[in-house]
Amino acid sequence: MAHRRLKHLLHGLVPAQPPIGVLHLGDISHHVYSTAEPSRLPHTDDLLLDPRDPFNLDNLHFMLQKYLLGQDVFLLSQPGPYARRLALTFCRLINAEYEFVALHRDVGETELKQGREIRSGGNLVYTDSAAVRAVKHGRVLILEGVEKAERGIMPVLNNLLENREMNLDDGTHIVHPHRYSLLDNEGPSAFIPAHKDFRVIAIAAPVPPYPGYPLDPPFRSRFQARFVDPLGSLLALPQPAHGPQSPFFEKLREIIMSTQIASESRNTLDAVAKSTLPAFPQTSLAKAHALVSAFPPPERLSPDQLARLVLSLHPALIHSPFVAWAMLSHQFEDAGLGELGSPNLSGIEDDAGLLGYRLAHVEKVDDHTAHVSFDSPTGATATFTVAAGPHAYLHFPFAHPEMLDFVPSARFMGLLTSLFQAHVLGWDISYVPPALPSTASCSTSLLVRTFSAMLGYELEDVHMYKELGGRELIMRRKVEDGGATSWEPSPLIEGAWQGRLVHLSGMDVIGSTAGSLARLVQDREVELWEKKRIVRRLADGEESSADLSVAHRAFRVISTASKSIPLKDWLSDEHANMFFTVAAQPMSQAEEAHILLQTGCRASVVETLLKFADKYRSGMTSDAVQKNRKLGTRSLLRIARRVAKFPEDDDLHTLLSRALLAEFLPATETMNLQNIFEECGIQRRTPPFNPPPEVRDEGLYFPPRTGPQTRDARATVIPRFDTASDPVGVSHVPHMDHFYDNSLQTGLMRDLAIDFEILGEHLVLLGNQGVGKNKVVDRLCQLLGRPREYIQLHRDTTVNQLMFQTVLENGVIKYTDSPLLRAISHGRVIIIDEADKAAEHVVAIFRSLAGHGQLTLADGRRVRETKEREGDIVVHPKFRLILLANRPGYPFLGNHFLQVLGDNFCCHAVTNPDMASERKLLSQLAPQLSEDLILRLVAAFQDLRRAYEGGTVTYPYSLRELLNLVRHMQAYPGDSLEVALRNVFDFDVYKPETIAKLADILDHHGLVVKKLGIEAAREAAKKKVLDVKFEPKGDTSLSEPKYGKDDPDNQAHTGGNTWAGGTGGRDTAGLGGRGGYMRLFKGHDIKQIPDALKNDVPDHVKERAREMARQELARRLEELNMSAGEAKGYGALFTAVEGHIAQLHDLLEHLAAREEERIWVKRQTDGELDDSRLTEGLTGEATVYKRRGMAKPEMGRPQLKPKRIRFLFDVSASMYRFQYDGRLKRSMETAVMLMETFDRLTRKEKYVWDIYGHSGDSASIPLVEADQQLEIKDRWKVVDKMEMITQYTFAGDYTLDAIDKAVGEVAKFDADDWFVIAITDANFARYGITAEDLQRVMNRNPKVHTALICIGEGAEVAWIPKNLPGRGYRVANTADIPAVLRSILSTMVDN
């Protein structure tokens, strides 16, 4: 004890290191000392904040106070670089070394404590994380992005923050320095003192209003908080200007500042409505200052130029409600700058970039420098020196524009100029797609490639996918030949060192993880592995080393989006601060026409295509685009190329329907599509007949097609595959012994062959189960001699599994190529089956592969169309992708994978054959069956499929079921039709509506079947219940009807009148007898008395039996509080929508289940081994497992809450007056459908719904209140009330008020989505209702999704779908009301 005390005293007598100076901040002085490792000091001197600025000084003063008190600081700042630069400025002022951790959702304990590595020789070593290095060496630890780290991770640091203690994985323990001084530390010790100068500066955006995880209370309590005023940080970031500022910038500055102040004073109502003008990003003023300084604006800018400038500074306005844009436009007008143009930027034919400048000249200076000149609006020329690449330049101005492989239109040149202007300013670029859900091409890939080529850059495409973690963006694991583990740079870091242009494609899919790149993008600094780091610049006397490197000055990043995720879900303030945004601008119709005409397609066809595309795109809503096909320029180009190459294939109805997968659109979308076809004069043609193909010497020969509307038909010859180019692949050619040719599938094969062999397209085939998708593709590959590979996807398929199989041999991880890579290398067809069953982000990797022939593998290799570097895998020109999947939507309910594929695939809907094709196919399969029987079976199945489309049955009966049925009948001719049908319909024994519909259809087609469903099953059961004739002996007289006694042993009783449930008896309840008042079956053989005896029943006995039956029914109805008439009326309404109820119930039930669907949760300590973390497993890390668990909501998303829905029914006088067209009855049936569906849900809490009516007397008539429990009698009262109101209400219309009130009331509910669906038969002209009136009430609250079904007079208004695209529906046939409302609800909630 005395020894430890002496040691402590002697340590205190050691002379302190002399300071190198004194820092004075306000009233505080602090001695500044030299540093042991200068390389750990900030290297961003040109980005540090000015400490003379009062705002910066105040923040630095606070931080020094906390530093001197030994306390840790938490900076709460809006997203942006200010807080980070404030922390670095503070470290620079006190000359403190620092460590930096960029937090993201994938950060684990390893990144905060110690990692493990295997060195050569098999030795395991532990490597300290930045946090551990900071505490050991007395550095400031900067934690940026705390709101992104999951809540369970940050408590790892709690003890370190509170007591300066931490247990490390290598067996050592960090302890408080005071405690360490009291320990006896003679010899080796497991204890390491925390350095007295260790401090933590945490940085996070406040949650809310910004997205993120809330702070863990114990973690929060260990910090001293400092809120960074957004207005102060906005003004502190721009560099001080020399001389007076331009009037334009001063006005712009005032607008940005006033918007910031206004956004802070928003009230609760504004926050709910989400219509307030959002504040500008933190870097907007710095960008505006730099832009205006480099490119002085003219005195007056056009509205379009102002709009483009504003969207570059504030990209969130691209997707904000229009009211926010209008508010900002007023501010610009008040400031004298003029009004803002449209935020859509569509139709602008201007070759000028930002502020009216035009690109004039690009000239190479040296391997990494170029001169770029611009013509200003005033006629002057501005020339800048910019970073560039070492390769040959695409000369500009273009010497021969007609020789280029693209069209340098005015729109294209304007966008290209904007990219060059952002490059001049030294910013990385984000090309943000438009908010409109479906537009013409925005030339995204072409712009990136042209920009790169004009500056001689080596372009590095990095394709994002959802599984990509923050660490994988920077570095990836590597196992050396001897088993040692190490790290290697990612393509992004390699690009930073080599000075490449790195294209981050699909930046939207990785969500908040993109924020982990903020420091690299904004400051050109990033922490790598094992002390390695990239810094902005080297200090005097420093040299580049293995641990300290600098990003190449020519390094640039350009990010683009996949357009598969709504802008609002990823285009955040953080993204806006990282990049200089260039808002995408879609092609004008003239430019799109020019491109389509270059294919050689007839001008009349191009004109019709563009007319159709314009109407279709303008009618698409942001809700529908996630599930329906966009009609992009690439899709139109595909059709134009097809028609140019095969002029006889000019059936635009078929080609457009195929591109849009019209076969599988919801009923509401199908109605809108047919209206567009009619408006464009595109008629449906009679399908032609396709003779069977033949294999000839010249190739696969498809004879000319024939048909009444087929003209100038020619034979089609498809070249066969040259087996010499892939000798090994011969064994991969499919072989089919039998394929039954038919017109429909032959026509499909011809279309597929043209698309993927002649036009070079990759394919997606969608269809119901059992329609022959695999068979058709295999048959086509067989006929063409095409080798094919096969992969079947499933729920657990990962991106890595698609690329290669992982093998661990002798402690070394090796990869073997997957079927996908084999197909790419050898030019084979790869079938990707069940594409809708895998997660969307897995299927997304096929987007870049099909679109650009590119793929980045996890082991560092790249797939490219041409060999650019050593190790690249070159895509064989014969390689083709064919994705197979079930149709989207109910009942398959797969993932909406089409949205992530874009327009890179040619889509084909595979349907059941038409009647003629199906008859021919079955006749070939079963020649022994009569043609008449086959015809009847085919007709019956055609009707069953129509019943499915109409919603009266819930299963899509396919060709596969019919084939199996016919095979059975062919093989076992002795079996009756009832027995054969059980193979298909035993699935439906508990679906009486299906069995009843089947019975009607079979009867209609003359297929005699005695029993169906459960009766047929019992008929064929091992213990058959016999139905035999029985002649009773003894007394057969009748007294009066009675129930009889119940036999506790359930013995069979025959011919008496004592026991209930007997057979062939009299008076009692039973079967096969006479004189009873009710039937009762107890499972015994039925003994039927002769009909003569049955009919010999006295009238008074018959009357007594009928009376007792009426009494029993009345008793049952009394239990339901219903009369017989009411029960019959409700039963009729129910029966009419029984099929719709089943379908809607299944869909809503599935959605509730899907929200709770489990996923693979990674970084677990037990479960299944995660093949993507095998290297970590080699080093002994514990979190290398994965297991199924609940998916956590994305950061910033609310926890799952119920969906709030209100249905508005029209119960006005006209509904009764004109009920002869069925509008009232159909509305009542629809109400029954809704009440029955929601009553059957197992998770009723998932939906909070109600039904209200509107009439000429009132805008709000409660019919069903939210959470009201409805028995059958209550449901009848609802529909009875609907009819009764229509009888007695006065004429008039409250449609507008009803919708307006419903939207307001629904929006008040705490939900995760809000819906109002209204039905009206209003005569809009009579009541003065205009399109603007409807738009006003339906758009009242942007978060509430609204839909309007117009029936009766309302259905005659042509402007409804045009002015309310995707939300207004004209339903002329009232029988469609239930189907349309079901379709709308299904589409809305399955979003």
Side-chain angles (χ1 to χ4, degrees):
M1 186 71 178
H3 175 74
R4 286 201 303 272
R5 191 179 298 126
L6 176 62
K7 179 184 174 183
H8 183 59
L9 290 171
L10 290 173
H11 180 73
L13 295 174
V14 174
Q17 179 187 3
I20 60 173
V22 179
L23 172 66
H24 298 282
L25 281 181
D27 56 349
I28 304 177
S29 299
H30 172 64
H31 289 288
V32 177
Y33 296 93
S34 61
T35 179
E37 197 172 339
S39 66
R40 304 306 302 185
L41 292 173
H43 288 69
T44 53
D45 290 355
D46 60 322
L47 295 180
L48 298 181
L49 304 175
D50 183 2
R52 295 168 297 179
D53 183 307
F55 178 73
N56 296 335
L57 179 61
D58 186 44
N59 287 325
L60 292 167
H61 181 269
F62 165 80
M63 295 173 74
L64 185 57
Q65 285 180 323
K66 301 295 106 181
Y67 183 87
L68 295 177
L69 289 173
Q71 295 174 331
D72 298 322
V73 172
F74 202 116
L75 299 176
L76 287 154
S77 167
Q78 69 176 139
Y82 179 84
R84 182 196 322 122
R85 293 177 183 173
L86 177 65
L88 292 173
T89 302
F90 176 74
C91 292
R92 195 42 149 161
L93 287 176
I94 65 171
N95 207 43
E97 300 173 16
Y98 78 96
E99 296 281 354
F100 191 95
V101 178
L103 296 168
H104 48 84
R105 62 185 177 186
D106 301 312
V107 163
E109 186 178 352
T110 302
E111 288 87 342
L112 297 178
K113 292 177 76 174
Q114 285 183 320
R116 297 172 173 85
E117 300 293 341
I118 297 176
R119 299 299 187 220
S120 57
N123 297 319
L124 179 67
V125 298
Y126 291 87
T127 58
D128 290 340
S129 69
V132 173
R133 291 197 301 269
V135 73
K136 286 182 178 180
H137 300 291
R139 297 170 184 159
V140 174
L141 174 62
I142 302 174
L143 301 172
E144 185 176 42
V146 174
E147 80 280 6
K148 299 190 192 96
E150 295 185 354
R151 290 187 66 174
I153 293 301
M154 298 317 295
V156 168
L157 299 179
N158 280 351
N159 204 28
L160 183 64
L161 295 168
E162 180 73 11
N163 302 314
R164 296 301 192 250
E165 293 180 353
M166 178 182 275
N167 295 328
L168 301 179
D169 296 338
D170 62 1
T172 58
H173 309 275
I174 294 175
V175 295
H176 194 281
H178 178 68
R179 182 184 172 200
Y180 180 81
S181 66
L182 300 177
L183 296 173
D184 186 1
N185 290 312
E186 294 297 324
S189 173
F191 296 99
I192 302 170
H195 199 288
K196 63 182 181 61
D197 293 334
F198 168 64
R199 301 288 188 279
V200 179
I201 300 176
I203 301 170
V207 179
Y210 297 100
Y213 297 104
L215 288 174
D216 183 52
F219 181 75
R220 165 182 161 162
S221 67
R222 289 169 166 87
F223 286 95
Q224 305 302 301
R226 178 72 169 185
F227 174 71
V228 179
D229 180 15
L231 190 60
S233 60
L234 195 69
L235 296 170
L237 276 180
Q239 297 299 312
H242 301 288
Q245 296 291 336
S246 72
F248 180 86
F249 176 74
E250 288 296 334
K251 292 176 181 178
L252 195 58
R253 181 174 177 270
E254 292 298 323
I255 291 172
I256 292 174
M257 290 172 59
S258 61
T259 303
Q260 174 63 51
I261 294 169
S263 70
E264 295 163 5
S265 59
R266 68 175 58 172
N267 57 38
T268 307
L269 184 60
D270 288 335
V272 169
K274 296 184 180 177
S275 60
T276 306
L277 178 60
F280 277 76
Q282 195 181 77
T283 56
S284 57
L285 206 53
K287 288 175 187 168
H289 178 268
L291 184 66
V292 171
S293 299
F295 302 95
E299 288 186 11
R300 194 76 177 175
L301 286 173
S302 69
D304 290 336
Q305 284 288 347
L306 280 175
R308 188 177 286 178
L309 171 66
V310 168
L311 295 178
S312 289
L313 301 177
H314 197 350
L317 290 171
I318 297 174
H319 64 82
S320 292
F322 188 76
V323 64
W325 186 257
M327 291 167 64
L328 190 62
S329 183
H330 283 307
Q331 290 194 45
F332 271 77
E333 289 183 73
D334 294 343
L337 296 176
E339 66 175 355
L340 297 178
S342 168
N344 297 333
L345 300 181
S346 54
I348 302 175
E349 290 294 327
D350 186 0
D351 63 349
L354 296 168
L355 302 177
Y357 281 71
R358 288 172 172 80
L359 186 63
H361 193 70
V362 180
E363 182 183 9
K364 184 171 185 175
V365 176
D366 58 37
D367 274 357
H368 294 292
T369 312
H371 285 157
V372 179
S373 300
F374 299 85
D375 290 336
S376 76
T378 59
T381 300
T383 302
F384 303 90
T385 301
V386 301
H391 298 303
Y393 287 18
L394 172 62
H395 183 73
F396 185 82
F398 302 126
H400 300 284
E402 69 280 359
M403 302 292 288
L404 298 171
D405 57 358
F406 62 92
V407 180
S409 64
R411 173 199 66 91
F412 184 86
M413 292 310 302
L415 291 167
L416 192 61
T417 301
S418 300
L419 297 183
F420 270 90
Q421 288 176 286
H423 185 58
V424 164
L425 302 180
W427 280 83
D428 292 326
I429 302 166
S430 175
Y431 189 61
V432 177
L436 293 174
S438 182
T439 66
S441 170
C442 296
S443 309
T444 304
S445 301
L446 182 60
L447 274 168
V448 173
R449 275 157 179 67
T450 306
F451 175 76
S452 172
M454 288 172 65
L455 288 170
Y457 266 114
E458 181 181 0
L459 183 62
E460 179 75 68
D461 290 288
V462 180
H463 300 281
M464 307 283 107
Y465 53 92
K466 192 173 182 180
E467 287 180 348
L468 203 60
R471 189 166 65 174
E472 285 78 13
L473 287 171
I474 305 297
M475 52 195 174
R476 56 174 172 250
R477 275 290 195 182
K478 182 181 179 183
V479 181
E480 309 287 355
D481 289 342
T485 61
S486 63
W487 296 89
E488 59 183 4
S490 68
L492 175 62
I493 298 303
E494 194 68 44
W497 284 335
Q498 301 297 328
R500 295 172 183 151
L501 175 64
V502 179
H503 173 207
L504 300 179
S505 176
M507 194 73 158
D508 50 335
V509 301
I510 61 173
S512 63
T513 301
S516 61
L517 299 177
R519 186 170 169 233
L520 175 64
V521 171
Q522 292 165 339
D523 299 350
R524 287 297 187 263
E525 294 197 332
V526 69
E527 304 297 317
L528 302 177
W529 59 93
E530 298 182 29
K531 301 184 185 177
K532 292 179 174 59
R533 68 201 311 210
I534 293 177
V535 295
R536 186 174 180 82
R537 58 181 58 175
L538 296 174
D540 293 339
E542 280 186 332
E543 292 184 2
S544 183
S545 65
D547 287 346
L548 196 66
S549 58
V550 178
H552 196 288
R553 65 184 179 84
F555 166 59
R556 290 293 185 275
V557 175
I558 183 165
S559 83
T560 59
S562 70
K563 305 178 190 174
S564 63
I565 296 175
L567 290 180
K568 61 184 175 61
D569 289 344
W570 68 271
L571 187 55
S572 60
D573 274 18
E574 184 172 56
H575 185 93
N577 286 312
M578 287 168 61
F579 298 98
F580 191 100
T581 302
V582 175
Q585 185 180 333
M587 290 179 180
S588 65
Q589 195 170 87
E591 183 180 354
E592 202 171 10
H594 179 73
I595 290 173
L596 297 182
L597 287 170
Q598 285 187 325
T599 63
C601 184
R602 298 194 306 273
S604 59
V605 173
V606 169
E607 183 182 353
T608 304
L609 281 175
L610 290 175
K611 182 180 179 182
F612 177 90
D614 180 60
K615 292 179 179 294
Y616 179 81
R617 290 165 181 166
S618 62
M620 181 170 279
T621 64
S622 55
D623 292 336
V625 80
Q626 296 304 307
K627 285 164 290 194
N628 296 351
R629 294 287 292 164
K630 300 177 184 179
L631 191 62
T633 303
R634 186 172 297 197
S635 294
L636 296 182
L637 197 57
R638 190 177 290 124
I639 294 173
R641 288 175 61 216
R642 173 70 180 264
V643 175
K645 196 91 173 174
F646 298 89
E648 70 274 19
D649 288 1
D650 61 350
D651 182 356
L652 294 186
H653 194 286
T654 297
L655 293 172
L656 285 166
S657 297
R658 180 188 303 160
L660 299 173
L661 293 172
E663 188 76 26
F664 307 134
L665 286 176
T668 48
E669 301 297 330
T670 301
M671 290 166 55
N672 289 339
L673 185 62
Q674 293 310 319
N675 288 337
I676 299 174
F677 277 132
E678 290 173 14
E679 291 172 15
C680 297
I682 300 174
Q683 301 295 324
R684 183 191 296 273
R685 295 184 187 175
T686 304
F689 174 75
N690 298 278
E694 306 167 18
V695 177
R696 297 185 176 181
D697 292 339
E698 66 270 26
L700 180 59
Y701 177 84
F702 288 94
R705 298 181 295 169
T706 59
Q709 292 179 286
T710 303
R711 58 185 183 275
D712 304 325
R714 299 177 299 172
T716 306
V717 180
I718 310 294
R720 297 190 80 231
F721 186 75
D722 181 8
T723 55
S725 63
D726 184 12
V728 179
V730 174
S731 62
H732 288 71
V733 177
H735 177 74
M736 302 175 70
D737 289 324
H738 301 289
F739 184 87
Y740 302 105
D741 289 305
N742 59 87
S743 174
L744 184 132
Q745 293 185 337
T746 298
L748 176 61
M749 280 195 285
R750 174 182 178 272
D751 289 335
L752 298 180
I754 289 173
D755 282 337
F756 83 81
E757 289 291 10
I758 305 297
L759 302 178
E761 299 286 354
H762 300 279
L763 307 178
V764 172
L765 273 65
L766 289 101
N768 291 352
Q769 84 298 340
V771 292
K773 297 184 290 293
N774 292 74
K775 297 283 186 187
V776 168
V777 173
D778 279 356
R779 175 62 170 172
L780 183 57
C781 289
Q782 179 185 13
L783 294 174
L784 291 171
R786 266 292 217 156
R788 69 117 167 95
E789 301 277 359
Y790 181 87
I791 296 177
Q792 184 168 0
L793 305 188
H794 51 84
R795 177 197 69 180
D796 299 334
T797 303
T798 64
V799 172
N800 281 351
Q801 288 170 351
L802 287 178
M803 297 177 179
F804 36 68
Q805 282 113 18
T806 310
V807 182
L808 187 61
E809 291 182 4
N810 300 321
V812 178
I813 293 176
K814 295 182 179 179
Y815 301 102
T816 58
D817 287 350
S818 68
L820 175 62
L821 291 187
R822 290 200 301 269
I824 290 171
S825 302
H826 298 294
R828 299 170 183 165
V829 173
I830 176 85
I831 308 294
I832 309 293
D833 203 0
E834 307 286 5
D836 57 325
K837 301 304 184 287
E840 291 163 15
H841 67 267
V842 174
V843 185
I845 72 162
F846 299 121
R847 179 192 181 108
S848 62
L849 186 57
H852 308 294
Q854 294 187 349
L855 199 62
T856 303
L857 308 185
D859 62 356
R861 292 179 296 165
R862 312 184 317 162
V863 173
R864 292 293 184 269
E865 287 185 322
T866 57
K867 189 165 186 175
E868 300 170 4
R869 294 184 210 148
E870 198 60 38
D872 282 357
I873 301 171
V874 179
V875 178
H876 194 287
K878 285 287 186 180
F879 165 69
R880 295 293 182 271
L881 273 164
I882 301 182
L883 273 59
L884 307 181
N886 289 130
R887 64 181 288 175
Y890 180 88
F892 302 99
L893 302 169
N895 292 314
H896 299 305
F897 74 100
L898 284 175
Q899 61 180 316
V900 302
L901 295 179
D903 272 347
N904 295 311
F905 285 81
C906 181
C907 290
H908 289 262
V910 185
T911 61
N912 288 291
D914 55 81
M915 280 193 69
S917 296
E918 206 162 25
R919 283 176 63 191
K920 182 177 180 184
L921 194 156
L922 294 176
S923 296
Q924 295 174 75
L925 174 67
Q928 284 83 8
L929 293 185
S930 70
E931 282 291 331
D932 179 68
L933 178 59
I934 287 178
L935 174 61
R936 293 175 188 276
L937 287 171
V938 168
F941 268 74
Q942 292 279 341
D943 280 359
L944 277 172
R945 291 164 196 154
R946 277 192 285 270
Y948 167 74
E949 296 296 340
T952 52
V953 299
T954 60
Y955 180 78
Y957 296 95
S958 70
L959 174 62
R960 181 183 293 158
E961 281 91 6
L962 184 53
L963 284 172
N964 289 331
L965 174 64
V966 170
R967 280 197 184 100
H968 184 99
M969 297 173 72
Q970 165 93 350
Y972 303 103
D975 281 359
S976 65
L977 182 58
E978 289 97 326
V979 172
L981 286 172
R982 287 193 58 205
N983 288 277
V984 178
F985 295 101
D986 265 16
F987 286 108
D988 304 308
V989 290
Y990 284 116
K991 293 180 179 175
E993 71 281 358
T994 300
I995 297 299
K997 187 69 178 178
L998 174 63
D1000 289 344
I1001 289 173
L1002 293 175
D1003 183 62
H1004 176 72
H1005 292 289
L1007 294 167
V1008 180
V1009 177
K1010 294 179 182 178
K1011 292 184 174 64
L1012 286 170
I1014 199 165
E1015 291 181 357
R1018 284 186 175 137
E1019 176 81 16
K1022 188 175 180 181
K1023 176 185 178 302
K1024 291 191 174 183
V1025 177
L1026 301 177
D1027 190 350
V1028 297
K1029 295 296 179 185
F1030 168 66
E1031 195 74 44
K1033 306 294 184 186
D1035 187 11
T1036 59
S1037 62
L1038 297 171
S1039 54
E1040 66 173 10
K1042 60 184 178 183
Y1043 180 76
K1045 298 180 182 178
D1046 279 313
D1047 184 349
D1049 299 324
N1050 195 22
Q1051 296 292 320
H1053 299 281
T1054 304
N1057 70 343
T1058 304
W1059 302 101
T1063 64
R1066 62 191 194 280
D1067 296 339
T1068 55
L1071 286 173
R1074 63 179 189 148
Y1077 75 96
M1078 67 179 286
R1079 298 172 193 86
L1080 184 62
F1081 177 63
K1082 291 202 172 184
H1084 306 294
D1085 291 346
I1086 301 168
K1087 305 293 179 63
Q1088 292 279 5
I1089 63 172
D1091 290 340
L1093 196 56
K1094 274 193 172 188
N1095 295 331
D1096 186 22
V1097 179
D1099 290 340
H1100 73 277
V1101 175
K1102 289 181 180 177
E1103 185 56 39
R1104 178 61 181 151
R1106 291 193 188 99
E1107 179 60 29
M1108 290 184 68
R1110 283 193 290 267
Q1111 289 175 4
E1112 179 66 13
L1113 176 61
R1115 185 186 67 78
R1116 297 293 303 279
L1117 290 173
E1118 189 177 354
E1119 291 178 2
L1120 299 174
N1121 196 15
M1122 295 176 74
S1123 68
E1126 290 170 343
K1128 184 178 179 182
Y1130 188 81
L1133 296 173
F1134 175 83
T1135 303
V1137 289
E1138 204 165 4
H1140 293 296
I1141 293 169
Q1143 287 202 24
L1144 185 57
H1145 169 265
D1146 286 356
L1147 177 82
L1148 297 181
E1149 197 81 330
H1150 166 80
L1151 290 176
R1154 194 167 67 183
E1155 289 174 349
E1156 298 171 0
E1157 190 171 353
R1158 299 191 303 162
I1159 62 165
W1160 284 113
V1161 181
K1162 299 195 170 190
R1163 289 177 172 264
Q1164 302 298 300
T1165 54
D1166 56 26
E1168 294 186 33
L1169 192 62
D1170 184 355
D1171 58 1
S1172 66
R1173 288 179 61 78
L1174 286 179
T1175 309
E1176 283 77 2
L1178 289 177
T1179 63
E1181 203 172 303
T1183 57
V1184 295
Y1185 297 93
K1186 60 181 181 179
R1187 65 167 181 258
R1188 303 297 293 179
M1190 293 290 292
K1192 296 179 181 176
E1194 284 290 323
M1195 193 181 77
R1197 302 281 182 87
Q1199 294 294 324
L1200 293 175
K1201 299 171 183 174
K1203 299 183 188 300
R1204 181 68 174 93
I1205 311 171
R1206 172 164 293 182
F1207 301 98
L1208 284 175
F1209 280 84
D1210 193 333
V1211 287
S1212 60
S1214 56
M1215 291 290 289
Y1216 194 85
R1217 187 184 311 124
F1218 301 111
Q1219 64 172 298
Y1220 53 78
D1221 65 1
R1223 65 183 71 176
L1224 179 58
K1225 182 185 177 188
R1226 298 301 184 188
S1227 293
M1228 293 165 66
E1229 289 172 358
T1230 305
V1232 170
M1233 175 186 78
L1234 295 173
M1235 291 186 290
E1236 290 288 341
T1237 299
F1238 283 106
D1239 180 68
R1240 296 182 184 191
L1241 293 179
T1242 54
R1243 298 295 306 275
K1244 292 183 174 63
E1245 71 277 7
K1246 290 288 182 182
Y1247 303 93
V1248 175
W1249 61 282
D1250 56 26
I1251 299 178
Y1252 272 61
H1254 61 93
S1255 69
D1257 292 333
S1258 174
S1260 182
I1261 304 170
L1263 296 172
V1264 178
E1265 294 285 15
D1267 298 325
Q1268 182 180 346
Q1269 298 298 315
L1270 296 174
E1271 300 295 335
I1272 291 182
K1273 62 178 182 295
D1274 302 313
R1275 290 173 222 152
W1276 165 253
K1277 288 177 181 176
V1278 169
V1279 290
D1280 192 37
K1281 182 178 179 181
M1282 290 172 65
E1283 183 178 30
M1284 187 167 56
I1285 292 171
T1286 63
Q1287 285 182 270
Y1288 296 101
T1289 187
F1290 282 88
D1293 188 81
Y1294 272 100
T1295 299
L1296 291 174
D1297 300 272
I1299 297 173
D1300 188 55
K1301 189 169 184 179
V1303 168
E1305 291 184 4
V1306 163
K1308 296 175 185 176
F1309 192 85
D1310 185 23
D1312 74 0
D1313 226 340
W1314 302 261
F1315 309 96
V1316 171
I1317 302 175
I1319 298 176
T1320 182
D1321 76 341
N1323 185 324
F1324 293 147
R1326 177 183 176 186
Y1327 295 110
I1329 299 174
T1330 65
E1332 291 73 23
D1333 293 331
L1334 286 171
Q1335 288 171 339
R1336 174 179 51 80
V1337 295
M1338 293 179 72
N1339 298 334
R1340 175 187 166 190
N1341 192 316
K1343 75 178 183 182
V1344 180
H1345 307 279
T1346 54
L1348 180 66
I1349 300 173
C1350 300
I1351 60 176
E1353 289 80 4
E1356 298 169 8
V1357 183
W1359 51 258
I1360 286 292
K1362 194 175 298 182
N1363 289 276
L1364 298 170
R1367 296 189 297 162
Y1369 304 95
R1370 298 162 56 200
V1371 182
N1373 183 357
T1374 58
D1376 294 333
I1377 294 174
V1380 169
L1381 190 138
R1382 173 175 62 82
S1383 177
I1384 292 172
L1385 181 60
S1386 303
T1387 304
M1388 278 183 162
V1389 298
D1390 185 16
N1391 184 17

